[in-house]
PDB file of all heavy atoms in Angstrom:
ATOM      1  N   ASN A1254      66.679  68.134  68.301  1.00  0.00           N
ATOM      2  CA  ASN A1254      66.769  67.334  69.519  1.00  0.00           C
ATOM      3  C   ASN A1254      65.547  67.474  70.404  1.00  0.00           C
ATOM      4  O   ASN A1254      65.454  66.822  71.439  1.00  0.00           O
ATOM      5  CB  ASN A1254      68.015  67.731  70.320  1.00  0.00           C
ATOM      6  CG  ASN A1254      69.295  67.400  69.585  1.00  0.00           C
ATOM      7  OD1 ASN A1254      69.328  66.460  68.794  1.00  0.00           O
ATOM      8  ND2 ASN A1254      70.345  68.170  69.833  1.00  0.00           N
ATOM      9  N   ASN A1257      60.306  65.641  69.558  1.00  0.00           N
ATOM     10  CA  ASN A1257      59.244  64.858  70.203  1.00  0.00           C
ATOM     11  C   ASN A1257      59.678  64.523  71.619  1.00  0.00           C
ATOM     12  O   ASN A1257      60.813  64.802  72.033  1.00  0.00           O
ATOM     13  CB  ASN A1257      58.911  63.587  69.408  1.00  0.00           C
ATOM     14  CG  ASN A1257      60.114  62.678  69.228  1.00  0.00           C
ATOM     15  OD1 ASN A1257      61.039  62.699  70.025  1.00  0.00           O
ATOM     16  ND2 ASN A1257      60.112  61.882  68.170  1.00  0.00           N
ATOM     17  N   LEU A1258      58.780  63.924  72.378  1.00  0.00           N
ATOM     18  CA  LEU A1258      59.087  63.628  73.772  1.00  0.00           C
ATOM     19  C   LEU A1258      60.208  62.618  73.900  1.00  0.00           C
ATOM     20  O   LEU A1258      60.972  62.639  74.883  1.00  0.00           O
ATOM     21  CB  LEU A1258      57.821  63.101  74.470  1.00  0.00           C
ATOM     22  CG  LEU A1258      56.686  64.107  74.656  1.00  0.00           C
ATOM     23  CD1 LEU A1258      55.522  63.462  75.404  1.00  0.00           C
ATOM     24  CD2 LEU A1258      57.173  65.342  75.413  1.00  0.00           C
ATOM     25  N   GLY A1259      60.351  61.733  72.903  1.00  0.00           N
ATOM     26  CA  GLY A1259      61.417  60.740  72.968  1.00  0.00           C
ATOM     27  C   GLY A1259      62.788  61.372  72.912  1.00  0.00           C
ATOM     28  O   GLY A1259      63.682  61.033  73.716  1.00  0.00           O
ATOM     29  N   THR A1260      63.007  62.314  71.980  1.00  0.00           N
ATOM     30  CA  THR A1260      64.312  62.969  71.884  1.00  0.00           C
ATOM     31  C   THR A1260      64.572  63.861  73.089  1.00  0.00           C
ATOM     32  O   THR A1260      65.715  64.000  73.534  1.00  0.00           O
ATOM     33  CB  THR A1260      64.376  63.795  70.593  1.00  0.00           C
ATOM     34  OG1 THR A1260      63.291  64.751  70.580  1.00  0.00           O
ATOM     35  CG2 THR A1260      64.236  62.907  69.371  1.00  0.00           C
ATOM     36  N   ILE A1261      63.513  64.472  73.644  1.00  0.00           N
ATOM     37  CA  ILE A1261      63.684  65.314  74.831  1.00  0.00           C
ATOM     38  C   ILE A1261      64.127  64.483  76.026  1.00  0.00           C
ATOM     39  O   ILE A1261      65.047  64.848  76.772  1.00  0.00           O
ATOM     40  CB  ILE A1261      62.380  66.076  75.133  1.00  0.00           C
ATOM     41  CG1 ILE A1261      62.067  67.083  74.011  1.00  0.00           C
ATOM     42  CG2 ILE A1261      62.461  66.778  76.469  1.00  0.00           C
ATOM     43  CD1 ILE A1261      60.721  67.756  74.146  1.00  0.00           C
ATOM     44  N   LYS A1262      63.502  63.319  76.220  1.00  0.00           N
ATOM     45  CA  LYS A1262      63.881  62.453  77.328  1.00  0.00           C
ATOM     46  C   LYS A1262      65.304  61.927  77.149  1.00  0.00           C
ATOM     47  O   LYS A1262      66.055  61.785  78.120  1.00  0.00           O
ATOM     48  CB  LYS A1262      62.893  61.294  77.440  1.00  0.00           C
ATOM     49  CG  LYS A1262      61.507  61.714  77.894  1.00  0.00           C
ATOM     50  CD  LYS A1262      60.561  60.522  77.933  1.00  0.00           C
ATOM     51  CE  LYS A1262      59.160  60.953  78.374  1.00  0.00           C
ATOM     52  NZ  LYS A1262      58.213  59.802  78.379  1.00  0.00           N
ATOM     53  N   GLU A1263      65.691  61.626  75.907  1.00  0.00           N
ATOM     54  CA  GLU A1263      67.040  61.134  75.672  1.00  0.00           C
ATOM     55  C   GLU A1263      68.076  62.194  76.014  1.00  0.00           C
ATOM     56  O   GLU A1263      69.133  61.888  76.594  1.00  0.00           O
ATOM     57  CB  GLU A1263      67.174  60.717  74.197  1.00  0.00           C
ATOM     58  CG  GLU A1263      68.488  60.051  73.861  1.00  0.00           C
ATOM     59  CD  GLU A1263      68.671  58.709  74.544  1.00  0.00           C
ATOM     60  OE1 GLU A1263      67.640  58.082  74.912  1.00  0.00           O
ATOM     61  OE2 GLU A1263      69.830  58.298  74.727  1.00  0.00           O
ATOM     62  N   ARG A1264      67.786  63.456  75.700  1.00  0.00           N
ATOM     63  CA  ARG A1264      68.725  64.541  76.015  1.00  0.00           C
ATOM     64  C   ARG A1264      68.844  64.728  77.533  1.00  0.00           C
ATOM     65  O   ARG A1264      69.943  64.967  78.053  1.00  0.00           O
ATOM     66  CB  ARG A1264      68.265  65.831  75.345  1.00  0.00           C
ATOM     67  CG  ARG A1264      69.215  66.990  75.596  1.00  0.00           C
ATOM     68  CD  ARG A1264      68.793  68.219  74.833  1.00  0.00           C
ATOM     69  NE  ARG A1264      69.667  69.340  75.143  1.00  0.00           N
ATOM     70  CZ  ARG A1264      70.827  69.568  74.545  1.00  0.00           C
ATOM     71  NH1 ARG A1264      71.257  68.749  73.612  1.00  0.00           N
ATOM     72  NH2 ARG A1264      71.575  70.604  74.878  1.00  0.00           N
ATOM     73  N   LYS A1265      67.720  64.625  78.236  1.00  0.00           N
ATOM     74  CA  LYS A1265      67.768  64.753  79.692  1.00  0.00           C
ATOM     75  C   LYS A1265      68.596  63.630  80.307  1.00  0.00           C
ATOM     76  O   LYS A1265      69.338  63.842  81.276  1.00  0.00           O
ATOM     77  CB  LYS A1265      66.351  64.735  80.263  1.00  0.00           C
ATOM     78  CG  LYS A1265      65.565  66.014  80.016  1.00  0.00           C
ATOM     79  CD  LYS A1265      64.209  65.938  80.684  1.00  0.00           C
ATOM     80  CE  LYS A1265      63.445  67.240  80.501  1.00  0.00           C
ATOM     81  NZ  LYS A1265      62.105  67.191  81.140  1.00  0.00           N
ATOM     82  N   LYS A1266      68.488  62.439  79.723  1.00  0.00           N
ATOM     83  CA  LYS A1266      69.239  61.307  80.250  1.00  0.00           C
ATOM     84  C   LYS A1266      70.739  61.526  80.088  1.00  0.00           C
ATOM     85  O   LYS A1266      71.524  61.260  81.004  1.00  0.00           O
ATOM     86  CB  LYS A1266      68.806  60.035  79.521  1.00  0.00           C
ATOM     87  CG  LYS A1266      69.512  58.782  79.997  1.00  0.00           C
ATOM     88  CD  LYS A1266      69.012  57.565  79.253  1.00  0.00           C
ATOM     89  CE  LYS A1266      69.748  56.309  79.710  1.00  0.00           C
ATOM     90  NZ  LYS A1266      69.300  55.108  78.953  1.00  0.00           N
ATOM     91  N   VAL A1267      71.147  62.043  78.940  1.00  0.00           N
ATOM     92  CA  VAL A1267      72.563  62.320  78.711  1.00  0.00           C
ATOM     93  C   VAL A1267      73.047  63.419  79.637  1.00  0.00           C
ATOM     94  O   VAL A1267      74.147  63.350  80.205  1.00  0.00           O
ATOM     95  CB  VAL A1267      72.785  62.702  77.232  1.00  0.00           C
ATOM     96  CG1 VAL A1267      74.226  63.155  77.001  1.00  0.00           C
ATOM     97  CG2 VAL A1267      72.440  61.528  76.332  1.00  0.00           C
ATOM     98  N   LYS A1268      72.224  64.453  79.823  1.00  0.00           N
ATOM     99  CA  LYS A1268      72.602  65.565  80.689  1.00  0.00           C
ATOM    100  C   LYS A1268      72.772  65.103  82.134  1.00  0.00           C
ATOM    101  O   LYS A1268      73.644  65.589  82.864  1.00  0.00           O
ATOM    102  CB  LYS A1268      71.533  66.655  80.599  1.00  0.00           C
ATOM    103  CG  LYS A1268      71.877  67.926  81.357  1.00  0.00           C
ATOM    104  CD  LYS A1268      70.808  68.971  81.149  1.00  0.00           C
ATOM    105  CE  LYS A1268      71.122  70.253  81.931  1.00  0.00           C
ATOM    106  NZ  LYS A1268      70.074  71.278  81.737  1.00  0.00           N
ATOM    107  N   LYS A1269      71.955  64.166  82.543  1.00  0.00           N
ATOM    108  CA  LYS A1269      72.024  63.683  83.913  1.00  0.00           C
ATOM    109  C   LYS A1269      73.309  62.922  84.169  1.00  0.00           C
ATOM    110  O   LYS A1269      73.811  62.861  85.307  1.00  0.00           O
ATOM    111  CB  LYS A1269      70.814  62.784  84.194  1.00  0.00           C
ATOM    112  CG  LYS A1269      70.671  62.373  85.639  1.00  0.00           C
ATOM    113  CD  LYS A1269      69.395  61.573  85.834  1.00  0.00           C
ATOM    114  CE  LYS A1269      69.216  61.168  87.279  1.00  0.00           C
ATOM    115  NZ  LYS A1269      67.981  60.387  87.471  1.00  0.00           N
ATOM    116  N   GLU A1270      73.873  62.347  83.110  1.00  0.00           N
ATOM    117  CA  GLU A1270      75.079  61.553  83.261  1.00  0.00           C
ATOM    118  C   GLU A1270      76.355  62.387  83.159  1.00  0.00           C
ATOM    119  O   GLU A1270      77.452  61.852  83.133  1.00  0.00           O
ATOM    120  CB  GLU A1270      75.100  60.457  82.186  1.00  0.00           C
ATOM    121  CG  GLU A1270      73.979  59.443  82.349  1.00  0.00           C
ATOM    122  CD  GLU A1270      73.937  58.454  81.196  1.00  0.00           C
ATOM    123  OE1 GLU A1270      74.750  58.635  80.249  1.00  0.00           O
ATOM    124  OE2 GLU A1270      73.127  57.524  81.259  1.00  0.00           O
TER     125      GLU A1270
END
Side-chain angles (χ1 to χ4, degrees):
N1254 295 331
N1257 58 26
L1258 292 182
T1260 57
I1261 294 173
K1262 291 178 181 178
E1263 186 66 23
R1264 182 175 177 85
K1265 287 183 177 180
K1266 181 179 179 182
V1267 173
K1268 185 177 179 180
K1269 188 176 181 180
E1270 295 174 356

